[in-house]
Amino acid sequence: MSFSSELLIKVLVVLATAPVMALGLTLLEVKGSAWMQRRPGPLHVGLRGFIFPLATAAKYFQKETIIPKDVDEPVFKWAPAWVIAAVVGLFTIIPLSPTLVVRDLELGVFFLLAISSISTIGVLTAGWSSANKFSLMGGLRAAGQLIAYELPLILSVVGVVIQAETMSTVGIVEKQIEFGFPFVIAGQGIAFIIFMIAATAEMMRTPFDMPIGESELTMGFMTEYSGIRFLIFYISEYINLFVMCAIASTLFLGGYHIPLLPTEWVNFYGPLVLIGKTFILAFLLIAVRWSFPRFREDQLQTLAWKVLIPVSLLNIMVTAIMKVVF
Amino acid sequence: MEAIDIFSYFLLLLLLLSGIKVVTTSNVIHAAIFLVFTLATTAILFILLSAEFVALVLVLVYIGAVIVLFLFGVMITRAPLGPNAELDNDQNKIFATLISISIFGIFTYILLQTFDSTVVIREGTSTKLLGEILLSRFVFPFELVSFVLLGALIGGITLARKDNALMDEDQI
Amino acid sequence: MISYFQDYVTVGAMIGLGLLLFLVFISLSALLSPKKPTPEKIKTYECGVDPVGGGWSQTYVRYYIFGLLFVIFDVEAVFIFPWALNLENLGYFGLIEMFIFIFILLLGLIYAIRKDVLKWE
Amino acid sequence: MKILKESGERKTLNQSDQNEFINSIQSSFKNTSYNFDTLKINVDLSSWIDTHKILKKDFNLSFFNWLSAVDWDNEVKTGDAPKEPVTPSFEILSCLSQTNSNNLVISSTVISKENAEIESLVDVFAGANWHEREAYEMFGINFLNHPNLTKLYLPDDYEGNPLLKSFELISREVKPWPGDVDVEGMPEDSIVVEEKGS
Amino acid sequence: MSQTMDPNNMPILSEASVSVEIETEDMTLNIGPQHPSTHGVLRLVAKVNGEKISSVEPVLGYMHRGYEKLAEVRTYPQVTTLVNRIDWVSGFANEIPFIAGAEKLMEIEVPERAQYIRLILTEMARISSHFVFNGAFPLEIGALTPIFLAMEDRERVLDLLESVTGGRFHPNFNRIGGVKPVAGAGPTTKKDIQDLPAGFYHDTKVAMEKVLKAVDTFEDLIGGNEVFQARTKKVGVLTKEVAEEYGVSGPILRASGVEFDLRKQSDYLPYDKFDFEIPIGENGDCFDRWSVRTSEMRESAKIILQAIEDMPSGPIQAKVPKVIKVPKGQTYVRAENPKGEMGYYIISEGGLGPYRLKIRTASFSNISILPIMLEGALLPDLIAIMGSLDFVLGDVDR
Amino acid sequence: MSIQPILIAAAALFSIGIYGILVRRNAVMVLLSIELILNAVNINFVAFNAMLSDVFLNGQIFSIFIITIAAAEVGIGLAIVLMLFRNRETANINEFDLMKW
């Protein structure tokens, strides 16, 4: 198959899966939260409430997009584009099997970190251009939080890179298969926890949702957004949830592989295994979201700078020593 | 001419256009965003010049961090939303145009004289190799960088802190 | 080399796909949704009263310091990745090099903590 | 994890303590009354602040309950007029209590309607701030030395003082007082109820 | 450094750099009236510097209904319909002090059974009010689950209130001299009437056990949550001196360490017949305020369980004249409501309605400390502090 | 592809940066213009690296160092702007005439 037709197919597959995954996670979120809150959740929309996320999304398409008069229009209008482009771009490196991957980049993990940092600009400009005090504070909080937690995210990955000696995501999974254990057991347990905390903060989910903090800042940097642009922020959040959980399972949980399964059949079970692991991790984050209140802004920054970053640096040092000495 | 060359010319054009927008737009935030475009085209150009690691470093450090710092700076210095008429020194414009055009002219002349038809070679760069060189051949500057960064950190904190050093020590 | 360019064509295509999704969403919504702005509707939200003061004033310098710290450590991360790939070759020499590097930057973090810039009064 | 301490002993009403308190108040202030379990001190306008200081300091009445006013007038637009004619005036009431017993004192002073001015209590009890603002807008009483004597509830451009007896309720013009007195019939005798609710 | 200074006239450098802090025009932020966490239409005009609040000015009156004026043109029985709309979260409890005051002026002895019924329903109102608090407070600091659990449990209590009074929020159940018969039991004039619905004792027992269980759940789920503790402990500390001076009452005062509960100290209802504790806080912070309320729910449930055990039989209505006229007199009657001290100063001139009715509500005094407590706080703490004060706008504005 | 157009574009970017420095009145904008200049330099380094197909990757490593130093420079530069802004309530460089005091 020629490169271009292959690329076209891959793009189309991602085009189809990304929104489906977002909707699937939305459903998991509404049903999961309902289960945790002793209520039935959506029941009446379509197949026992199962097409509820689709109905919600469809609703937003028909809603008026209000652009307030004081906003900086081009910046305001394009702010969601930064976020969704960065998030969809990350699909490139998620491996469903050694061959079922959009592209296995040599710099895979580094690429992930570089691209994911772009969405900060989208959030900050969204907050600024809204000309609204709540948006501005939300945007600043969001930017402060995204940059503070990007570091632990980056640094926790370094341990994995040291162990795997490669930055390619497929290479990392293959290394884990070679090891026989996923990295979360083989030395990177702390890194995994840091990664999940930092990823939660990057996604601005409770208990790190003060940029949105609806009881303080009404809707944070999204206050002035309505209609389709709000939906784009919303959908990006869930695509991001999927991507981050998929990356976490790839880096730490053995990705598309489960020990004892025959590796030659990985193309068949790989996608299922990875999506399964992703949804389990996502459910973990959903359970956390519905159990905790949110931190305060200063507590959040303290946690990042005084705990997570030093600990992840320590993790790097320990991993490096283990690698060199043994 | 290869397709990749045409694309390169297009990129260079884009680079210059966004660069010009950075210095001519009357809105501070727009200028920062145009700088992002400039940097993004530069990053693509780097990739075409087979320097992928540098390109990603550019994205990670510049777009992901330095621009955010700029946006913070703009917001802290209370730039107004929307166009700002007082952004430029109007009386300087002609003078500045003359200077920059003459610099450009001299450079172009020299460049045309020096590099006649030298061709860029697009070949892969191994990041692993880059790391190895960085940590062996360039180990001294590498360590020096940490001191520079430490100095920048301490200096920045001292300057930006609320109870400024100026007030603490120099005031009696 | 072909593979290298294909890598980044793919990356470009994926980021382009993100932008395409954005544009498709926006244009679909433009077709489907009404557009009837009224003066009340397009007013800036401020809890139901008319906004007071300019939209805005300057923000905490603290955020700037967080940004500065981030930039510094981000640069550090840039150097850590090539090192992490080469740890096997570099051996103890690389280990010591990077430890000095990290240690010096940690001094910066400790300085920041000691100067209480991470604290919110 | 238990951060609360719970009061061990049960406090019961101590009638003798209360009587003692009432006696001590009555011996310290000339013009007092004790009706319907409510101890009221009538003080002169001039000693309004001093009385509160004494009550706070000497009688341990540190809890500021409320402050309000009454518009005494014979010609009323709303409600019933007093049965016996009264001198038109404002009566200022304030209520202080102790926080370890049920003891409570209501101080009262009278100011004239023409010169509706009184010293503010804010310096003695900071909590009087909002109560005085309320009285200011509802009665038009001017509290001297009040830090921020502005309207509390009503819009800034509102005219009139709603709680004055001369202030008409618009709805009562449509449906005059006392309206249809629609009182549910009360039982003739007290009723003994069969135990059914178990 | 102000811009008005003329650079030419500046003598020396040291003076020129005196003020290094940024001269902030603080950002004026309107929080409310249409804001998710102000419990209705309270508006706070906050001057903020970044995240820090430099001053707060509460703006009231968006709900002012003028009950003190309206009470002057209503008869005494009509006033009860007004007053149970003051604090609608615990509507029943609002009626008690007013009715007690009118009874005091008329010198009516209320039958014991009626007193017990009042007491049970008041405590139920307290429990339901604290349930709302236990849902709303965590919601405001970002935990979304407790409100669903709280509402589910409150429903049982409201069902009980409804089964007796016919109303869930505004029961209007008290009559001068006693209480109404059970909802749907026909006119009060009937000789042989039912005062409590069938199965009430059993249902109450079941519901109260559920309440006790719910309190345990809340203490685990909310109080045991590390993030909740980090958000509330040492936040919004209120000392007892300030609290007393501002007339802050109820659980907030008790959280600051003052052992003041009118149920123990006053005699408006026969609380002295029951065994219960008054929870007291130590630090006066948000966590203590939450903790005091939650423990109070347990005590209330205990009171109710005791009350239905030794419920006396007898009449539920004292003998009162057909048209109620209250003799001339003045009295102040106060009660321990869920939000704090609620009192009515009734001035009667012998007419059909009161000559003047001063309504002292708890939330009004309780939120008058907001400007002091919020000065210098961070914006997220504003929400936590406001939530911990547990006010209802109807109770503030009247 | 010849290296000339790349180098000329870099030179043009450099001149644009110079223009920005001269014209802009806002200090933050001046810093932005400096970034343009540094970016032009980076392009040159990477282009030369590609031209020489340097086995030691000197050009690329140099540009990484430049990016690093530029980050530090922005950090300090903006901090100075902030300090001046505190003193003078403006980010307008025309008014930063401290020596006049």
Side-chain angles (χ1 to χ4, degrees):
Chain A
M1 208 191 299
S2 79
F3 170 70
S4 50
S5 53
E6 198 183 315
L7 180 63
L8 187 69
I9 290 170
K10 281 172 173 171
V11 165
L12 287 178
V13 168
V14 174
L15 182 67
T17 41
V20 168
M21 286 303 151
L23 294 178
L25 285 172
T26 315
L27 186 69
L28 187 66
E29 178 109 280
V30 288
K31 282 289 187 186
S33 66
W35 172 71
M36 290 186 71
Q37 291 165 349
R38 289 197 247 144
R39 60 189 172 86
L43 269 184
H44 301 292
V45 190
L47 318 158
R48 288 187 61 78
F50 273 82
I51 64 162
F52 166 77
L54 198 63
T56 314
K59 176 191 75 177
Y60 276 108
F61 275 97
Q62 310 163 35
K63 291 188 99 171
E64 182 181 356
T65 305
I66 300 163
I67 308 228
K69 63 175 188 308
D70 290 333
V71 302
D72 187 337
E73 256 196 68
V75 181
F76 181 83
K77 282 184 167 170
W78 282 88
W82 297 97
V83 180
I84 194 166
V87 167
V88 174
L90 293 179
F91 266 91
T92 316
I93 55 160
I94 298 175
L96 295 174
S97 85
T99 44
L100 289 179
V101 50
V102 179
R103 196 75 192 179
D104 179 29
L105 300 181
E106 192 201 331
L107 290 177
V109 177
F110 199 66
F111 170 83
L112 155 83
L113 304 169
I115 296 299
S116 69
S117 68
I118 292 176
S119 54
T120 315
I121 298 179
V123 169
L124 196 51
T125 51
W128 156 275
S129 63
S130 295
N132 177 313
K133 293 160 189 168
F134 295 112
S135 298
L136 178 73
M137 294 180 85
L140 280 166
R141 281 183 180 189
Q145 172 174 335
L146 289 182
I147 60 175
Y149 280 85
E150 181 144 349
L151 284 172
L153 193 77
I154 294 174
L155 296 176
S156 62
V157 171
V158 173
V160 173
V161 175
I162 291 175
Q163 282 205 321
E165 292 171 48
T166 174
M167 293 204 268
S168 128
T169 41
V170 172
I172 289 171
V173 177
E174 291 299 316
K175 198 81 179 179
Q176 295 180 62
I177 296 173
E178 204 179 292
F179 256 50
F181 293 108
F183 281 144
V184 68
I185 302 172
Q188 294 302 322
I190 295 169
F192 174 66
I193 293 167
I194 293 174
F195 186 91
M196 288 314 282
I197 293 174
T200 317
E202 289 278 298
M203 289 181 271
M204 294 180 274
R205 294 170 65 81
T206 320
F208 302 102
D209 66 336
M210 45 304 250
I212 295 163
E214 71 286 332
S215 63
E216 305 161 22
L217 301 178
T218 54
M219 206 58 198
F221 61 90
M222 294 190 271
T223 303
E224 292 289 2
Y225 281 90
S226 54
I228 193 71
R229 286 190 169 76
F230 182 79
L231 177 75
I232 291 170
F233 273 125
Y234 185 84
I235 260 191
S236 314
E237 187 189 325
Y238 283 94
I239 297 180
N240 202 6
L241 179 63
F242 176 79
V243 170
M244 281 296 175
C245 291
I247 299 280
S249 16
T250 302
L251 297 185
F252 296 98
L253 300 181
Y256 47 73
H257 180 70
I258 292 181
L260 303 180
L261 286 181
T263 37
E264 56 268 24
W265 287 7
V266 71
N267 278 345
F268 296 101
Y269 67 76
L272 293 178
V273 168
L274 185 80
I275 290 175
K277 284 177 180 174
T278 305
F279 271 68
I280 290 170
L281 276 185
F283 186 75
L284 190 78
L285 292 188
I286 286 168
V288 166
R289 173 172 182 175
W290 299 103
S291 314
F292 284 95
R294 73 175 67 87
F295 277 109
R296 208 167 54 208
E297 189 65 15
D298 58 330
Q299 291 165 342
L300 160 121
Q301 296 283 0
T302 312
L303 180 68
W305 293 104
K306 292 191 183 162
V307 181
L308 295 184
I309 291 174
V311 169
S312 49
L313 283 174
L314 202 71
N315 179 56
I316 291 173
M317 291 187 183
V318 171
T319 314
I321 290 172
M322 299 296 271
K323 183 83 183 176
V324 171
V325 173
F326 302 106
Chain B
M1 203 155 44
E2 283 181 60
I4 198 164
D5 289 349
I6 300 170
F7 185 59
S8 301
Y9 283 119
F10 173 69
L11 274 183
L12 292 175
L13 190 70
L14 217 60
L15 178 74
L16 292 186
L17 284 180
S18 52
I20 289 169
K21 283 301 266 186
V22 171
V23 295
T24 52
T25 180
S26 57
N27 185 322
V28 192
I29 290 285
H30 289 188
I33 288 172
F34 279 118
L35 184 63
V36 174
F37 291 152
T38 317
L39 293 166
T41 36
T42 313
I44 298 171
L45 197 66
F46 284 1
I47 287 171
L48 293 182
L49 293 170
S50 66
E52 53 171 341
F53 187 71
V54 184
L56 286 184
V57 168
L58 198 73
V59 173
L60 183 67
V61 174
Y62 256 106
I63 300 182
V66 172
I67 291 292
V68 174
L69 205 58
F70 266 119
L71 291 177
F72 278 154
V74 168
M75 293 180 186
I76 292 169
T77 53
R78 226 181 288 171
L81 199 68
N84 181 358
E86 291 197 348
L87 218 52
D88 288 353
N89 275 331
D90 289 332
Q91 70 270 32
N92 277 3
K93 268 189 180 160
I94 299 164
F95 172 68
T97 317
L98 280 177
I99 287 200
S100 50
I101 285 178
S102 50
I103 289 178
F104 177 63
I106 296 165
F107 275 6
T108 315
Y109 176 75
I110 297 172
L111 289 173
L112 287 174
Q113 294 291 309
T114 322
F115 302 95
D116 252 352
S117 55
T118 331
V119 176
V120 289
I121 300 145
R122 302 183 205 277
E123 56 178 11
T125 310
S126 154
T127 310
K128 201 158 179 163
L129 178 69
L130 190 141
E132 212 172 315
I133 296 170
L134 184 70
L135 290 155
S136 50
R137 204 171 132 92
F138 286 89
V139 64
F140 186 62
F142 168 73
E143 293 297 343
L144 215 58
V145 159
S146 66
F147 281 102
V148 172
L149 292 177
L150 179 67
L153 187 58
I154 292 176
I157 288 173
T158 315
L159 287 169
R161 231 154 52 98
K162 206 165 198 162
D163 46 339
N164 202 297
L166 247 177
M167 194 165 82
D168 277 349
E169 281 121 43
D170 297 356
Q171 291 296 303
I172 301 110
Chain C
M1 209 51 220
I2 298 288
S3 154
Y4 167 79
F5 283 118
Q6 284 179 354
D7 275 2
Y8 285 96
V9 170
T10 314
V11 168
M14 291 304 290
I15 293 177
L17 174 65
L19 291 174
L20 184 77
L21 269 178
F22 176 75
L23 291 175
V24 166
F25 276 31
I26 296 284
S27 34
L28 257 181
S29 152
L31 285 176
L32 294 174
S33 68
K35 186 130 190 75
K36 298 188 196 75
T38 62
E40 283 296 314
K41 215 189 261 178
I42 61 170
K43 204 195 276 173
T44 302
Y45 167 82
E46 197 165 320
C47 293
V49 290
D50 288 345
V52 277
W56 135 261
S57 87
Q58 97 297 333
T59 50
Y60 261 179
V61 177
R62 178 164 293 108
Y63 282 116
Y64 177 76
I65 292 176
F66 288 138
L68 183 64
L69 272 169
F70 170 64
V71 168
I72 303 294
F73 280 88
D74 212 24
V75 171
E76 177 195 341
V78 164
F79 287 104
I80 281 189
F81 273 96
W83 166 80
L85 281 180
N86 284 289
L87 198 56
E88 201 91 321
N89 319 351
L90 294 163
Y92 285 100
F93 176 63
L95 207 59
I96 292 163
E97 262 180 314
M98 188 47 78
F99 280 12
I100 294 172
F101 190 82
I102 291 178
F103 174 72
I104 290 169
L105 285 178
L106 269 181
L107 282 184
L109 187 59
I110 292 166
Y111 176 82
I113 292 171
R114 286 290 297 277
K115 282 283 171 185
D116 277 351
V117 290
L118 297 181
K119 223 189 199 162
W120 301 50
E121 70 266 67
Chain D
M1 181 215 53
K2 191 81 184 165
I3 61 118
L4 301 176
K5 68 169 196 257
E6 294 187 339
S7 73
E9 67 210 271
R10 290 184 54 192
K11 277 219 180 73
T12 39
L13 288 174
N14 195 332
Q15 203 59 47
S16 64
D17 278 359
Q18 207 164 346
N19 289 339
E20 199 178 301
F21 175 76
I22 291 162
N23 289 336
S24 70
I25 289 277
Q26 280 174 340
S27 58
S28 308
F29 298 95
K30 299 191 296 275
N31 196 353
T32 61
S33 64
Y34 184 69
N35 298 318
F36 303 107
D37 296 339
T38 306
L39 179 63
K40 191 170 170 185
I41 314 174
N42 299 308
V43 295
D44 292 338
L45 182 56
S46 54
S47 58
W48 176 247
I49 301 289
D50 291 336
T51 309
H52 282 86
K53 281 183 182 157
I54 293 166
L55 287 174
K56 186 183 185 183
K57 224 172 118 202
D58 300 345
F59 293 92
N60 193 24
L61 289 155
S62 55
F63 188 84
F64 183 81
N65 286 46
W66 50 270
L67 180 145
S68 191
V70 187
D71 178 20
W72 288 106
D73 212 326
N74 296 314
E75 291 171 24
V76 299
K77 293 262 174 61
T78 52
D80 294 319
K83 287 276 152 61
E84 297 142 29
V86 291
T87 349
S89 60
F90 287 127
E91 184 182 4
I92 313 283
L93 297 165
S94 85
C95 179
L96 305 177
S97 63
Q98 296 179 340
T99 51
N100 51 7
S101 71
N102 195 27
N103 294 334
L104 161 146
V105 165
I106 298 204
S107 330
S108 144
T109 188
V110 175
I111 59 176
S112 74
K113 284 205 164 181
E114 291 72 41
N115 190 18
E117 278 183 353
I118 187 165
E119 279 290 315
S120 166
L121 269 182
V122 172
D123 289 340
V124 190
F125 287 101
N129 192 324
W130 283 17
H131 295 272
E132 287 180 353
R133 281 174 66 187
E134 192 189 355
Y136 160 75
E137 71 176 348
M138 291 297 168
F139 293 94
I141 297 165
N142 193 15
F143 289 87
L144 303 169
N145 300 330
H146 188 282
N148 175 28
L149 199 60
T150 49
K151 285 187 168 138
L152 185 66
Y153 291 130
L154 302 171
D156 288 337
D157 52 359
Y158 190 90
E159 283 178 22
N161 305 103
L163 276 183
L164 290 181
K165 285 284 173 185
S166 56
F167 188 90
E168 281 184 61
L169 262 182
I170 306 293
S171 60
R172 283 301 165 205
E173 293 196 348
V174 184
K175 193 179 176 189
W177 171 254
D180 296 327
V181 184
D182 179 24
V183 185
E184 192 181 325
M186 287 289 168
E188 298 295 322
D189 315 300
S190 65
I191 300 158
V192 179
V193 183
E194 300 277 315
E195 183 73 26
K196 280 185 182 171
S198 56
Chain E
M1 187 62 51
S2 78
Q3 275 181 314
T4 51
M5 280 192 196
D6 183 1
N8 301 323
N9 293 343
M10 290 206 190
I12 38 172
L13 180 68
S14 61
E15 260 189 40
S17 51
V18 168
S19 155
V20 194
E21 282 199 24
I22 295 181
E23 297 275 317
T24 43
E25 316 140 33
D26 285 345
M27 178 155 78
T28 307
L29 195 63
N30 274 307
I31 301 168
Q34 299 294 331
H35 189 273
S37 65
T38 49
H39 294 252
V41 284
L42 175 68
R43 175 178 164 207
L44 296 177
V45 182
K47 295 251 193 296
V48 294
N49 178 5
E51 295 266 321
K52 200 175 157 191
I53 294 161
S54 30
S55 72
V56 165
E57 177 66 35
V59 179
L60 314 175
Y62 288 91
M63 271 219 72
H64 186 61
R65 293 155 295 178
Y67 278 175
E68 293 184 10
K69 183 78 175 175
L70 291 177
E72 290 174 10
V73 295
R74 272 166 176 66
T75 61
Y76 284 92
Q78 284 172 336
V79 172
T80 46
T81 51
L82 284 184
V83 298
N84 68 40
R85 280 158 179 77
I86 288 176
D87 169 9
W88 55 75
V89 182
S90 54
F92 187 88
N94 299 329
E95 299 174 8
I96 297 293
F98 176 74
I99 291 289
E103 282 160 358
K104 192 165 267 179
L105 286 173
M106 292 172 76
E107 288 168 335
I108 293 173
E109 203 49 49
V110 182
E112 208 181 5
R113 188 173 170 89
Q115 295 263 35
Y116 266 62
I117 293 173
R118 280 181 186 177
L119 186 145
I120 290 172
L121 296 181
T122 310
E123 290 309 310
M124 282 181 182
R126 188 184 317 277
I127 290 174
S128 76
S129 166
H130 287 348
F131 264 131
V132 173
F133 169 76
N134 251 311
F137 183 42
L139 181 70
E140 261 141 41
I141 57 178
L144 288 93
T145 300
I147 189 150
F148 291 98
L149 308 185
M151 287 297 158
E152 186 190 332
D153 290 320
R154 184 179 80 135
E155 211 57 10
R156 291 197 195 93
V157 181
L158 285 185
D159 282 348
L160 282 175
L161 264 170
E162 187 187 7
S163 73
V164 181
T165 66
R168 294 163 76 80
F169 277 73
H170 306 306
N172 196 20
F173 185 63
N174 286 293
R175 293 287 173 270
I176 289 172
V179 293
K180 261 185 4 177
V182 69
T188 330
T189 40
K190 229 164 71 181
K191 276 261 176 190
D192 182 24
I193 56 165
Q194 195 186 356
D195 62 343
L196 287 174
F200 177 75
Y201 291 169
H202 175 256
D203 291 351
T204 309
K205 230 174 249 168
V206 172
M208 286 310 124
E209 262 141 36
K210 288 258 168 67
V211 167
L212 289 175
K213 213 183 246 169
V215 173
D216 289 342
T217 312
F218 286 144
E219 281 180 345
D220 257 16
L221 177 72
I222 305 171
N225 191 318
E226 283 79 8
V227 182
F228 181 82
Q229 290 178 12
R231 283 297 306 277
T232 51
K233 281 193 172 169
K234 306 257 180 328
V235 169
V237 175
L238 180 67
T239 59
K240 56 168 100 162
E241 289 75 22
V242 175
E244 286 181 8
E245 193 162 307
Y246 277 81
V248 173
S249 52
I252 306 174
L253 185 67
R254 289 193 285 277
S256 294
V258 180
E259 205 183 318
F260 181 52
D261 191 322
L262 289 166
R263 289 179 293 173
K264 290 278 190 195
Q265 272 133 0
S266 186
D267 59 349
Y268 65 101
L269 284 177
Y271 280 105
D272 52 338
K273 304 220 168 65
F274 305 110
D275 206 16
F276 66 100
E277 312 277 320
I278 307 171
I280 306 288
E282 273 174 343
N283 307 315
D285 54 15
C286 292
F287 186 83
D288 279 7
R289 292 196 270 277
W290 167 81
S291 195
V292 163
R293 289 199 183 91
T294 310
S295 308
E296 253 178 34
M297 286 164 71
R298 187 177 280 132
E299 300 304 321
S300 295
K302 274 200 232 160
I303 295 175
I304 293 174
L305 286 175
Q306 290 173 48
I308 56 172
E309 277 307 314
D310 41 82
M311 171 77 97
S313 51
I316 56 164
Q317 176 71 55
K319 199 174 172 183
V320 286
K322 193 151 196 166
V323 173
I324 289 174
K325 284 196 173 174
V326 176
K328 187 177 159 152
Q330 304 185 357
T331 189
Y332 179 60
V333 174
R334 54 183 181 162
E336 187 67 34
N337 266 27
K339 306 266 184 298
E341 176 191 326
M342 173 173 232
Y344 295 87
Y345 191 73
I346 306 172
I347 299 179
S348 173
E349 282 294 313
L352 283 171
Y355 180 77
R356 166 107 174 85
L357 180 71
K358 162 69 192 169
I359 307 171
R360 192 263 189 221
T361 53
S363 301
F364 179 77
S365 296
N366 288 357
I367 72 160
S368 69
I369 47 167
L370 270 179
I372 307 168
M373 282 177 89
L374 294 178
E375 205 183 314
L378 296 172
L379 190 65
D381 286 345
L382 175 143
I383 307 299
I385 291 169
M386 246 172 30
S388 75
L389 292 183
D390 186 28
F391 54 87
V392 161
L393 249 290
D395 205 26
V396 176
D397 282 0
R398 305 191 293 279
Chain F
M1 177 186 185
S2 162
I3 195 172
Q4 268 176 1
I6 299 176
L7 295 182
I8 291 172
L13 199 60
F14 186 89
S15 317
I16 292 168
I18 296 281
Y19 172 84
I21 291 175
L22 290 173
V23 163
R24 290 305 202 184
R25 209 188 260 185
N26 185 310
V28 180
M29 302 295 283
V30 172
L31 282 174
L32 279 178
S33 307
I34 293 175
E35 294 312 308
L36 285 182
I37 292 177
L38 288 170
N39 201 30
V41 175
N42 272 339
I43 293 173
N44 273 5
F45 270 115
V46 173
F48 284 138
N49 191 91
M51 182 185 86
L52 301 170
S53 73
D54 183 1
V55 276
F56 290 115
L57 301 173
N58 284 315
Q60 293 194 18
I61 290 178
F62 255 84
S63 54
I64 291 176
F65 279 128
I66 290 174
I67 292 171
T68 311
I69 303 300
E73 170 258 329
V74 171
I76 289 286
L78 277 174
I80 292 173
V81 173
L82 291 190
M83 200 197 75
L84 291 172
F85 178 75
R86 279 177 177 167
N87 284 328
R88 302 306 306 267
E89 276 272 298
T90 174
N92 196 335
I93 43 170
N94 288 11
E95 294 179 30
F96 293 159
D97 43 9
L98 280 159
M99 299 304 275
K100 273 189 195 166
W101 289 4

